[in-house]
Amino acid sequence: MSTVLLPSGSSVSVKVHPVVLFAICDAYTRRKEHQDRVIGTLLGVVVDNTIEVKNCYVVPHNESSDQVMVDVVHHKTMFELHQKVAPHEVIVGWFATGSELYNSDALIQEFYSKESQHPVHMVVDTTLRDEKFNISAYTSRTLALGDKQLATEFVEIPCETIFGDVERVGADLMLTGLNDPSPDAKKDSSSKSLTDDAETLQASMARLAELVGRAAEYVEAVNSGKVTGDPAIGRYLADTLALVPHLARPDFERLFNESVQDNMMVTFLSDLLRAHVALAERLGTAALPIM
Amino acid sequence: MEAIAPKPHKELVKTVQLEGQVLLKIIQHCTEALPQNVTGQLLGLDVGQQLEVTDCFAFPATVADDDSEAESAGANYQLEMMRCLREVNVDNNTVGWYQSANMGTFQTVELIETFINYHENIKKCVCIIYDPQRSSRGSIALKAIRLKESFIELSKEQKLTLKGFREANLSWRDIFVELPIRIRNSNLVQALVADLMPAPTATQADVERLNLSSAPFLERNIQSLLECVDDIVAEQQKVTMYHKNVARQQQAYAVWLAKRRQENQQRQADNQEPLPEEDPNLFKPIPEPSMLDNYLVTNQIATYCDQVNVAAGETIQKLFLMEGMQKAGL
């Protein structure tokens, strides 16, 4: 008998949604007194060799030097509750905070092996060692001799954070006021970004301009022979440029005017309705007066 | 509002503070459930005039909502979840709920009913409305609302009629109060955010924000707007019917009264006891129609109008930007 290898080997990778990391951080700040770390269950979906972690919950536990107690009842109840909301999400592993692996991890891993076929163990470094927010994922491999289990080996697997398109909107919001540590500035910018569309448009435009500038710079550098061009980038640039529609002036003007007029008309209609409503309110009738 | 000195026990919520994880959880839940509308519970603390929402959890999608069994299952779910969260030191204090709303359609009678239900137990409750479809256009559509106190009182007294509203000096604008939302993160989470965020490049959100086509969005908004106008006309018809009915009844009553008086004169002449001049069984007062629907529809119209104006305004801005670019390019 040889060691029991995972069928998928090391090609398994983990993708974490930011919401999970946020929840873990929150759980860490809410840990009990004298508690070193928090652990919990990770929920998600497995597609081929990618494990997408979408949700998580904390499981109370107690650990001393050589034994660990996990609140199994809590874990089971929470899982059932989560199943009601999102039946497609299954247990994919567990998380712990801290900067390294503990001895007791093997025991917890064993527990989760019963819950899930190949549980992943995610470690979120909330101590910010090396001033970095390390997130790593491990899968386990049992070292056995004959029928006797000797040890559990943790193998690190790739782990990355993914953003859904819409989560990005939220994440953008988190960033506002990040560079300005004073609480007042934070207040201003976060409330502004919720309302001011013109400002976000401006920011988007500025970013776009910067990107175009960077691309132009690169092309310039390649042309003047300072940098050797990468054919892949070149092709991307060419493709992008080809996508820009070339309109003759009269055509553009016609399109532009039509669109502006459409929008103006829509605005006019909605303003008209608004005037109606205001008028009805003034007159004290429930009817729209001119309709 | 400022004139009334807020007593400690009657303080009103002025702002809502959301923790980052709550925001992300709401976004995730609402987006994944599209096109279904979902709800969930908000947990947190109220600190003076600020409501701090520190956690939330999703409600399971209701399969059969009028079933009493499903209802008790829902209540059980809620209790269990709260108990479990308390064990891990989450603030287990309900402060309201969140729900997804497509295209800003949320001003419904159900919402008011839920609000009033919640209000029985939680004086300071808010509802967070998240619009997944509008958010996919690049800017987040998140709203925190609560009901105005005077409206709650009015609805408790069952006086949601035109007269009641007018006596309380309330207009359709005075049903909901929108509260400003602030995002707050713990220092640890801020470190996480700083670490997760790559150098500022154009994100998907930028791409959507710069998208020139707004026609489908406007089209849907205008369609909803049209439906609203239809609704309001129907509501108006109800009011007209009521007035007609009242007038008809009064006429009938006048006829009956004249007849009865004549009869009584006759009886008086015959030295008989006069009959009473009022017959409550014959002429019951017709209940005045509730103005709630009307006001809600009006609110809805206002929301749609705002959305249309903002979207159209944005598109015009973008068009002019395009023109500028085109001119510079030519």
Side-chain angles (χ1 to χ4, degrees), chain B residues 100-322:
Chain B
S100 54
N102 283 335
M103 311 294 295
T105 317
F106 63 87
Q107 285 120 330
T108 57
V109 181
E110 289 84 43
L111 182 81
I112 303 272
E113 277 167 5
T114 325
F115 248 123
I116 288 172
N117 271 344
Y118 266 87
H119 195 80
E120 306 252 300
N121 304 316
I122 309 144
K123 288 281 168 258
K124 298 183 189 177
C125 80
V126 291
C127 175
I128 289 186
I129 310 269
Y130 176 72
D131 193 332
Q133 285 186 339
R134 259 177 70 211
S135 295
S136 63
R137 284 173 44 84
S139 50
I140 192 155
L142 197 72
K143 240 183 223 185
I145 52 167
R146 67 175 169 82
L147 292 185
K148 207 161 188 159
E149 307 63 50
S150 33
F151 174 78
I152 293 174
E153 273 163 36
L154 205 65
S155 90
K156 270 187 190 153
E157 291 165 28
Q158 307 274 324
K159 285 207 297 198
L160 293 177
T161 55
L162 190 59
K163 208 174 134 214
F165 271 116
R166 213 167 280 167
E167 269 168 15
N169 209 4
L170 285 176
S171 77
W172 55 270
R173 264 179 262 267
D174 298 318
I175 298 182
F176 298 105
V177 184
E178 199 182 324
L179 303 164
I181 299 180
R182 280 170 41 193
I183 307 287
R184 196 199 75 97
N185 282 318
S186 66
N187 291 340
L188 186 63
V189 173
Q190 288 212 358
L192 172 73
V193 173
D195 204 74
L196 284 182
M197 290 300 159
T201 51
T203 58
Q204 192 63 31
D206 285 326
V207 176
E208 268 140 20
R209 222 171 279 146
L210 294 174
N211 192 347
L212 267 175
S213 111
S214 65
F217 180 78
L218 285 177
E219 219 169 278
R220 255 180 309 177
N221 254 318
I222 289 180
Q223 203 143 22
S224 317
L225 208 52
L226 283 178
E227 279 163 27
C228 273
V229 173
D230 281 348
D231 284 352
I232 214 161
V233 169
E235 284 300 318
Q236 172 55 22
Q237 257 157 10
K238 270 192 217 162
V239 176
T240 325
M241 274 303 281
Y242 162 75
H243 283 303
K244 257 189 207 154
N245 283 343
V246 167
R248 204 175 298 150
Q249 198 186 37
Q250 266 169 355
Q251 219 172 7
Y253 179 68
V255 171
W256 178 84
L257 198 66
K259 222 169 117 192
R260 179 56 61 94
R261 277 193 179 142
Q262 226 171 14
E263 216 176 305
N264 276 348
Q265 262 172 4
Q266 187 66 43
R267 285 171 85 101
Q268 231 165 10
D270 298 347
N271 274 337
Q272 272 176 331
E273 192 79 354
L275 291 170
E277 284 200 354
E278 262 167 54
D279 190 353
N281 295 326
L282 211 52
F283 299 104
K284 276 190 194 133
I286 302 168
E288 209 182 325
S290 163
M291 285 301 286
L292 185 58
D293 283 327
N294 196 330
Y295 277 30
L296 286 177
V297 176
T298 313
N299 257 314
Q300 197 67 67
I301 289 182
T303 313
Y304 287 136
C305 284
D306 283 344
Q307 278 180 18
V308 167
N309 278 8
V310 167
E314 243 175 70
T315 316
I316 290 177
Q317 283 175 355
K318 280 186 263 188
L319 280 169
F320 276 100
L321 274 174
M322 265 293 290

Side-chain angles (χ1 to χ4, degrees), chain A residues 123-154:
Chain A
V123 180
V124 179
D125 184 7
T126 43
T127 56
L128 302 184
R129 207 171 54 168
D130 305 332
E131 300 189 350
K132 261 190 77 185
F133 217 102
N134 253 322
I135 301 150
S136 40
Y138 302 88
T139 178
S140 68
R141 195 149 67 180
T142 328
L143 298 178
L145 190 65
D147 286 338
K148 205 175 157 216
Q149 263 193 23
L150 292 178
T152 310
E153 185 191 4
F154 283 103

